[in-house]
C-alpha cells in the first residue's frame, strides 16, 4: 500500500500513517476552529493526537496476541477508520483469529474502564455519551474510545467485528466460504453506510465506507487465491514451453522473437545457458526508442530479476513475482539450469482451471 509515512518502529513492527488519516485531522481541526477559533483548532488537534495514541495501543493489542501464536506483524497502518495491523499470515485456526481480533477491542475497552474509574475517583461524574468539542479532555477521550470500541465491533469485515464473525463462520464453513460471507456482509454494510452518508452529507463516513468496501473485496480475493493455489509448487505453476534469448543478441533479433509468437517475456541466458536476467516487451520497446535496433539485449534487460526455485511454494512464488514488479520470473533448479518461466498470466489461467475443476468451488 502506497501513500503512507513511517513514523516509528515498536517491538519489530513499523508504525505507518496513511495520508488520508490527515483528512481526519483536518476535519477535526476545522470542527475545533468553528467552536473555539484558533485555540479550539489546536486543542482539537491535540485531542486527535491523543486518540491516535489510543488507536496505536489498540493495534498493539492485536499484534501482541498474534505474536503469542507465533505470527509476526511487519507493519501497522493508521487509516481514518482506525488502524490496520498487517499480520504476516492469517492464523491457521479460527480460534486464534477470534482471539487476535478481540485483542484490540480489549485494549480499547480497558482504556475506557481506566479513564472512567480515574474520573470517578476524581469525583468528576463522567458521562459515557454526549460527545462535545469543548468537553473536558479526559472525558472526551473516554467517550471517543467508547465510540471507537462500538464502531470496531460492527460486524463489517475487515473491521474487528467482521473478523470475529469470519472466525465464527470459518470454524463451521471453512476459511474460504466464511471469508466470502463475511466480506459480502461487510460490503453490504459499507454500501448502506455509504448511501446514508451521501444522503446526509457526511463526507468522512463516505470515506470510511469506501475503505471497508475495498478492504473486504481485497481480503476475500486474497483468501480465495491462496485456497485455489494451496499445495502447488513453482514447478506446477510455471510455463515449460518458452524461448530464451542470448544476452549478446541484438534488439532487432529480440523483436523478431517477440513477433514470432505469443511469448512476451524472455529469460536472458549467457553462452553457458546461465540465467542473466529477463527481457520484457516493455524493455524491447523502450530499448528500441532510446538506443536503436542495433543495441544488445544485455543493455536493456532487467539484470536483477530474482530467481525462483521449482520447489518454492505457491504463496511464496506469487509474492516474489508481485514484489519483483516484473511480469515474469525465471525458474532455475538447484544445478542452475533454467527449467521454466513463472508468469502472472499463466498463474491466473491455472487458478481459473483449478477453481473450475475443484469440488470446493460453488
Ligand atoms: Zn482492531
Amino acid at each position: 500500500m502506497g501513500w503512507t509515512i513511517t513514523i516509528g518502529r515498536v517491538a519489530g513492527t513499523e508504525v505507518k500513517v496513511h495520508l488520508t488519516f490527515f483528512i481526519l485531522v483536518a476535519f477535526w481541526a476545522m470542527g475545533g476552529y468553528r467552536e473555539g477559533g484558533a485555540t479550539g483548532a489546536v486543542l482539537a488537534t491535540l485531542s486527535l493526537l491523543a486518540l491516535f495514541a489510543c488507536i496505536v495501543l489498540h493495534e498493539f493489542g492485536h499484534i501482541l496476541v498474534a505474536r503469542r501464536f507465533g505470527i509476526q506483524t511487519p507493519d501497522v497502518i493508521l487509516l481514518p477508520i482506525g488502524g490496520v495491523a498487517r499480520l504476516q499470515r492469517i492464523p491457521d485456526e479460527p480460534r486464534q483469529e477470534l482471539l487476535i481480533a478481540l485483542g484490540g477491542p480489549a485494549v480499547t475497552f480497558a482504556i475506557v474502564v481506566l479513564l472512567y474509574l480515574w474520573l470517578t475517583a476524581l469525583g468528576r461524574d463522567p458521562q459515557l455519551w454526549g460527545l462535545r468539542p469543548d468537553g473536558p479532555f479526559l472525558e472526551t477521550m473516554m467517550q471517543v474510545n467508547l465510540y471507537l470500541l462500538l464502531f470496531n465491533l460492527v460486524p463489517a469485515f475487515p473491521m474487528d467485528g467482521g473478523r470475529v464473525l469470519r472466525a465464527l463462520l470459518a470454524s463451521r464453513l471453512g476459511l474460504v466460504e466464511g471469508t466470502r460471507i463475511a466480506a459480502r456482509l461487510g460490503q453490504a454494510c459499507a454500501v448502506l453506510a455509504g448511501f446514508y452518508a451521501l444522503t446526509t452529507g457526511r463526507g468522512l463516513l463516505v470515506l470510511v465506507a469506501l475503505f471497508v468496501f475495498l478492504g473486504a473485496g481485497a481480503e476475500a480475493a486474497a483468501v480465495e487465491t491462496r485456497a485455489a493455489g494451496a499445495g502447488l509448487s513453482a514447478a506446477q505453476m510455471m510455463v515449460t514451453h518458452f524461448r530464451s534469448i542470448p544476452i549478446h543478441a541484438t534488439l532487432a533479433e529480440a523483436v523478431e522473437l517477440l513477433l514470432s509468437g505469443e511469448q512476451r517475456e524472455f529469460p536472458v541466458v549467457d553462452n553457458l545457458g546461465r540465467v542473466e536476467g529477463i527481457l520484457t516487451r516493455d524493455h524491447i520497446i523502450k530499448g528500441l526508442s532510446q538506443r536503436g535496433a542495433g543495441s544488445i539485449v544485455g543493455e536493456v534487460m532487467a539484470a536483477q530479476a530474482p530467481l525462483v526455485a521449482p520447489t518454492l511454494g505457491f504463496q511464496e512464488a506469487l509474492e516474489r513475482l508481485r514484489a519483483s514488479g516484473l511480469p515474469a520470473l525465471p525458474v532455475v533448479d538447484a544445478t542452475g539450469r533454467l527449467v521454466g518461466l513463472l508468469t502472472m498470466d499463466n498463474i491466473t489461467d491455472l487458478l481459473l482451471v483449478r477453481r473450475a475443476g475443484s469440488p470446493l468451488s460453488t
Side-chain angles (χ1 to χ4, degrees), residues 58-59 62 83 100-101 103-105 152 159-160:
H58 170 108
E59 291 311 317
H62 294 301
I100 294 170
N152 267 297
M159 290 195 295
D160 294 338

Side-chain angles (χ1 to χ4, degrees), residues 33-332:
Y33 185 79
R34 273 201 296 272
E35 296 294 327
T39 321
V42 170
L43 285 177
T45 304
L46 287 177
S47 305
L48 194 71
L49 291 181
L51 170 63
F52 173 94
C54 291
I55 291 175
V56 172
L57 288 175
H58 170 108
E59 291 311 317
F60 275 89
H62 294 301
I63 291 167
L64 292 180
V65 178
R67 187 164 300 171
R68 280 188 69 94
F69 297 128
I71 299 169
Q72 303 302 314
T73 310
D75 60 20
V76 49
I77 301 177
L78 289 139
L79 303 166
I81 57 166
V84 178
R86 295 203 294 182
L87 306 188
Q88 222 165 31
R89 59 185 170 88
I90 301 173
D92 304 322
E93 287 177 42
R95 192 185 67 88
Q96 294 184 350
E97 176 171 45
L98 184 73
L99 293 175
I100 294 170
L102 289 173
V107 169
T108 304
F109 181 68
I111 293 172
V112 173
V113 170
L114 286 175
L115 286 174
Y116 187 86
L117 292 176
W118 175 248
L119 287 166
T120 306
L122 293 176
R124 296 277 177 81
D125 185 29
Q127 303 297 309
L128 287 175
W129 311 106
L131 192 63
R132 55 207 155 92
D134 59 342
F137 177 72
L138 288 179
E139 188 178 272
T140 304
M141 270 303 111
M142 181 192 69
Q143 291 172 338
V144 170
N145 271 287
L146 185 58
Y147 286 123
L148 192 69
L149 177 66
L150 296 178
F151 181 67
N152 267 297
L153 289 177
V154 171
F157 196 67
M159 290 195 295
D160 294 338
R163 289 190 185 281
V164 170
L165 179 69
R166 194 258 293 265
L168 294 175
L169 289 170
S171 65
R172 288 163 180 271
L173 302 169
L175 186 63
V176 176
E177 195 56 31
T179 304
R180 197 176 289 164
I181 295 173
R184 291 221 177 111
L185 205 68
Q187 290 189 321
C189 284
V191 169
L192 285 177
F195 188 70
Y196 168 77
L198 281 175
T199 51
T200 54
R202 291 164 205 264
L204 186 59
L205 191 57
V206 175
L207 196 68
V208 171
L210 191 67
F211 264 111
V212 170
F213 190 89
L214 296 177
E219 184 113 8
V223 168
E224 293 204 16
T225 300
R226 180 187 293 258
L232 285 175
S233 66
Q236 294 163 287
M237 298 154 69
M238 68 192 186
V239 179
T240 50
H241 293 279
F242 62 92
R243 306 278 298 273
S244 52
I245 189 163
I247 192 164
H248 297 301
T250 62
L251 283 187
E253 290 170 299
V255 169
E256 217 167 282
L257 199 57
L258 179 71
L259 297 179
S260 69
E262 298 284 310
Q263 196 179 336
R264 288 174 178 175
E265 297 89 22
F266 304 91
V268 180
V269 293
D270 65 12
N271 293 339
L272 300 170
R274 283 180 308 216
V275 177
E276 295 284 347
I278 199 127
L279 183 75
T280 67
R281 188 180 56 174
D282 288 351
H283 291 138
I284 299 173
I285 302 300
K286 210 170 164 188
L288 278 177
S289 68
Q290 290 178 354
R291 294 163 183 265
S295 58
I296 64 162
V297 164
E299 292 171 353
V300 300
M301 67 178 190
Q304 304 298 324
L307 304 180
V308 174
T311 50
L312 198 67
F314 172 79
Q315 198 62 30
E316 292 77 13
L318 190 61
E319 273 159 24
R320 193 169 300 180
L321 182 56
R322 279 190 183 142
S324 74
L326 292 164
L329 291 181
V331 182
V332 174

